[in-house]
C-alpha cells in the first residue's frame, strides 16, 4: 500500500514541486536593458573622467618638477595675500625688467628667482587655477615624456615668452609662469597622453580613453576668463600659445594635416579663419564712425580708398569693440560676452564639435545689439559690418561643410559613372 500511495507529507511535497515548476515554465522571459552609451561631451562623462583622473593620478608617483612649482606658486600666492605691503611686484623686487633680462647681473638674483612664481594677480583663485594646471600637466605630460625633458621645455618656453613680452614692450615688469603654461598646453595637445579607466570602479569607467588635454584647456580658459587685468593676461597667453604652436609645428604631420584639411574645405579651416577675423575685429577694427566721408566716391575713383591715411583722416572711427567694452562704454554683459568668446576660442577650434559655431553667431548678434545701445554709437564702421558678417558666417559654417562633402560625393559618383 505504501508503494502504491505515498505518505501524505511526501505527496504534498510532490504537488508543490510540480506547481512551482509549472509557474517557472509559464513565466515571461526577463528583459535585459543594455546600458546607455556614455557620450564624451556629456555631464556624466565629465564627472567620470575627472574622478577617474584623480584616482589614476593618486596611484602614480608625484611629478617632481611640476609638484615643486605648484608648492612654490602657493607660497608666493600666500605671501601676496597675507602681506599687502609686498603686493606690488616692483616694490617687492619680484618682477623681471627688460634690462635685468637682456643685461644679466648677479645682484638681481631676487628678480630671477621670484618672478617665475609670483602670481599675475593677488588672490587664492589665481593660485588655485595655476597649481591645477601644473598638477594636470605634471601627472600627464611629465609622466609621459620624463622630468628632464618636461623641465627643459618649460624653462625654454618661459624664457622665450618673457623675452618676447619684454622686447616688444607688451609688459614692462614680467611676472608669472602663465605664458609657459599656455605654451605647454599646446605641446600637451600634440603629445596627447592618455589615461585608461579599465582597472577602476565600475561607476568611474568610461568606454574610451581619457585625454587630460581637454581638462587642461578648460582650466587654461578659466584662467584667462577670470583675469582682472584682461588685456595683460590676453597678451601673456597669446604669446605663450604662439610659441607653443611654433614648437608643435616642427612635426611635419601637422603641416600635412593642415594641407589636407584646407583642400577638403573642412570645418576646422573655415572656423579658424573666422575666429581669427573675430579677434582682429575685436582688437583692431573701428566699431562706429561720427559721420560718413564726403569724398567717398572720389576716393573710390582715384583709389585713395586703398590708402590707410585716407581712412584715418576722412573716415575716423571709435576704438574697437573690446577696447570700448574695457573702457566702460558698453554694458558689462557685453564685456563678459567678449571675454567668453576670446577665452574659449582656441580650445573650441581644436574640438571635433560643431555646435559652438551657432553659439558664436548668437553672441555676435548680442554684441551688435549692445553696440547700438552704446553712447559711443553713431554710424556703422568696418568693425560693425564685420560683426554682422560673422553672425551669418558662424551660423552657416557647419552647413557649408556638409554641402562640401555632398559635392565631393557627387563628383566621385560622376567620375565613376564616366569611367563605367
Amino acid at each position: 500500500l505504501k508503494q502504491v500511495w505515498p505518505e501524505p507529507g511526501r505527496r504534498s511535497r510532490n504537488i508543490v514541486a510540480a506547481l512551482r515548476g509549472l509557474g517557472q515554465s509559464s513565466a515571461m522571459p526577463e528583459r535585459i536593458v543594455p546600458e546607455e552609451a556614455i557620450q564624451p561631451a556629456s555631464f556624466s562623462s565629465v564627472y567620470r573622467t575627472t574622478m577617474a583622473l584623480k584616482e589614476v593620478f593618486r596611484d602614480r608617483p608625484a611629478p617632481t618638477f611640476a609638484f615643486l612649482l605648484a608648492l612654490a606658486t602657493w607660497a608666493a600666492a600666500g605671501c601676496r595675500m597675507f602681506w599687502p605691503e609686498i603686493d606690488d611686484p616692483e616694490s617687492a623686487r619680484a618682477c623681471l625688467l627688460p634690462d635685468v633680462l637682456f643685461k644679466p647681473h648677479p645682484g638681481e638674483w631676487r628678480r630671477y628667482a621670484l618672478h617665475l612664481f609670483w602670481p599675475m594677480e593677488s588672490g587664492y583663485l589665481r593660485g588655485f587655477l595655476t597649481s591645477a594646471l601644473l598638477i594636470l600637466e605634471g601627472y600627464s605630460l611629465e609622466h609621459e615624456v620624463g622630468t628632464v625633458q618636461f623641465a627643459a621645455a618649460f624653462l625654454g618656453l618661459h624664457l622665450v615668452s618673457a623675452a618676447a613680452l619684454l622686447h616688444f614692450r607688451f609688459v614692462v615688469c614680467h611676472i608669472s609662469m602663465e605664458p609657459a603654461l599656455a605654451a605647454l598646453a599646446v605641446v600637451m595637445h600634440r603629445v596627447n597622453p592618455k589615461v585608461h579607466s579599465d582597472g577602476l570602479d565600475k561607476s568611474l569607467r568610461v568606454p574610451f580613453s581619457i585625454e587630460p588635454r581637454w581638462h587642461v584647456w578648460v582650466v587654461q580658459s578659466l584662467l584667462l576668463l577670470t583675469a582682472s587685468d584682461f588685456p595683460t593676461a590676453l597678451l601673456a597667453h597669446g604669446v605663450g600659445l604662439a610659441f607653443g604652436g611654433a614648437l608643435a609645428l616642427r612635426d611635419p604631420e601637422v603641416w600635412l594635416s593642415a594641407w589636407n584639411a584646407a583642400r577638403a574645405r573642412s570645418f576646422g579651416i573655415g572656423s579658424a579663419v573666422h575666429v581669427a577675423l573675430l579677434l582682429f575685429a575685436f582688437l583692431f577694427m573701428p566699431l562706429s564712425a561720427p559721420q560718413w566721408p564726403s569724398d567717398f566716391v572720389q576716393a573710390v575713383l582715384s583709389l585713395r580708398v586703398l590708402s590707410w591715411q585716407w581712412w584715418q583722416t576722412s573716415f575716423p572711427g571709435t576704438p574697437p569693440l573690446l577696447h570700448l567694452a574695457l573702457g566702460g562704454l558698453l554694458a558689462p554683459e557685453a564685456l563678459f560676452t567678449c571675454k567668453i568668446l576670446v577665452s574659449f576660442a582656441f580650445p573650441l577650434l581644436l574640438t571635433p564639435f560643431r555646435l559652438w559655431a551657432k553659439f558664436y553667431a548668437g553672441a555676435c548678434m548680442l554684441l551688435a545689439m549692445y553696440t547700438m545701445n552704446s553712447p559711443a554709437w553713431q554710424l556703422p564702421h568696418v568693425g560693425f559690418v564685420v560683426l554682422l558678417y560673422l553672425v551669418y558666417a558662424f551660423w552657416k559654417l557647419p552647413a557649408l561643410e556638409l554641402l562640401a562633402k555632398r559635392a565631393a560625393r557627387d563628383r566621385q559618383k560622376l567620375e565613376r559613372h564616366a569611367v563605367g
Side-chain angles (χ1 to χ4, degrees):
L1 184 61
K2 289 183 179 180
Q3 293 177 356
V4 177
W5 190 258
E7 64 273 12
R10 181 180 176 184
R11 183 174 57 194
S12 61
R13 288 195 300 270
N14 293 339
I15 295 174
V16 171
L19 291 176
R20 185 178 299 171
L22 181 62
Q24 290 178 356
S25 62
S26 62
M28 295 296 292
E30 184 180 358
R31 182 181 179 185
I32 301 176
V33 180
E35 294 184 1
E36 186 178 356
I38 300 176
Q39 299 298 326
S42 63
F43 290 104
S44 175
S45 174
V46 172
Y47 171 76
R48 287 193 179 194
T49 54
T50 304
M51 300 305 295
L53 285 179
K54 186 191 73 170
E55 295 297 328
V56 172
F57 290 168
R58 182 185 299 177
D59 296 334
R60 288 183 177 180
T64 306
F65 187 77
F67 195 73
L68 291 177
L69 286 180
L71 291 179
T73 300
W74 268 113
C79 291
R80 290 197 69 175
M81 287 188 294
F82 298 120
W83 286 280
E85 60 273 10
I86 62 172
D87 183 68
D88 184 18
E90 175 60 31
S91 61
R93 298 184 63 190
C95 67
L96 197 63
L97 301 176
D99 295 337
V100 176
L101 178 62
F102 299 115
K103 298 178 181 179
H105 192 274
E108 299 290 348
W109 64 269
R110 183 186 179 94
R111 297 183 185 273
Y112 296 124
L114 294 181
H115 81 278
L116 179 64
F117 313 109
W118 213 254
M120 189 172 291
E121 298 170 1
S122 60
Y124 66 91
L125 181 60
R126 211 76 187 167
F128 170 76
L129 292 176
T130 304
S131 60
L133 269 178
L134 284 169
I135 294 301
L136 284 172
E137 292 179 352
Y139 274 102
S140 52
L141 185 60
E142 184 177 351
H143 180 79
E144 183 80 11
V145 302
T147 301
V148 176
Q149 189 172 354
F150 179 83
F154 180 88
L155 295 176
L157 290 170
H158 175 75
L159 180 60
V160 295
S161 300
L165 289 170
L166 293 173
H167 175 73
F168 294 103
R169 294 297 190 270
F170 291 143
V171 294
V172 295
C173 183
H174 177 59
I175 55 174
S176 180
M177 62 180 72
E178 292 185 19
L181 292 176
L184 278 181
V186 182
V187 176
M188 180 173 170
H189 188 88
R190 181 58 188 165
V191 177
N192 192 18
K194 294 181 175 62
V195 173
H196 301 279
S197 59
D198 299 338
L200 300 179
D201 187 77
K202 186 178 180 181
S203 61
L204 300 179
R205 296 177 194 168
V206 288
F208 49 84
S209 300
I210 303 174
E211 300 179 357
R213 59 181 181 174
W214 301 115
H215 298 78
V216 169
W217 281 123
V218 171
V219 180
Q220 182 74 35
S221 300
L222 291 176
L223 191 64
L224 178 58
L225 178 64
T226 56
S228 301
D229 190 2
F230 188 75
T232 303
L234 180 60
L235 284 172
H237 287 223
V239 170
L241 292 175
F243 282 110
L247 187 61
L249 287 176
R250 298 183 309 160
D251 190 354
E253 294 182 2
V254 178
W255 296 92
L256 183 61
S257 300
W259 172 249
N260 293 333
R263 290 182 58 191
R265 295 176 57 191
S266 67
F267 174 83
I269 295 297
S271 60
V273 171
H274 286 85
V275 166
L277 180 61
L278 173 74
L279 297 178
F280 189 81
F282 280 8
L283 296 174
F284 302 107
M285 291 186 178
L287 190 63
S288 179
Q291 60 182 2
W292 295 108
S294 58
D295 59 339
F296 181 73
V297 178
Q298 293 81 0
V300 172
L301 295 177
S302 62
L303 298 181
R304 286 186 293 115
V305 72
L306 302 178
S307 173
W308 176 251
Q309 185 178 2
W310 179 87
W311 286 93
Q312 289 181 328
T313 56
S314 301
F315 198 30
T318 61
L321 177 62
L322 187 58
H323 296 252
L324 290 176
L326 291 171
L329 295 177
L330 296 180
E333 295 82 2
L335 176 58
F336 185 68
T337 304
C338 290
K339 287 184 176 182
I340 291 179
L341 296 182
V342 173
S343 301
F344 288 92
F346 195 80
L348 289 174
L349 286 175
L350 301 174
T351 61
F353 304 110
R354 306 288 184 265
L355 187 60
W356 63 267
K358 305 286 186 180
F359 289 97
Y360 267 59
C364 290
M365 178 59 71
L366 287 176
L367 289 175
M369 292 189 290
Y370 281 125
T371 298
M372 290 186 289
N373 291 327
S374 170
W377 170 260
Q378 293 182 0
L379 294 173
H381 209 289
V382 61
F384 186 80
V385 176
V386 170
L387 196 62
L388 294 181
Y389 164 74
L390 289 173
V391 174
Y392 171 80
F394 279 123
W395 188 263
K396 289 293 184 179
L397 269 178
L400 289 177
E401 184 185 19
L402 295 177
L403 291 176
K405 290 182 178 179
R406 187 179 304 172
R409 288 196 300 266
D410 294 340
R411 188 164 54 251
Q412 292 176 359
K413 290 180 180 178
L414 291 175
E415 292 176 356
R416 288 196 299 266
H417 181 71
V419 173

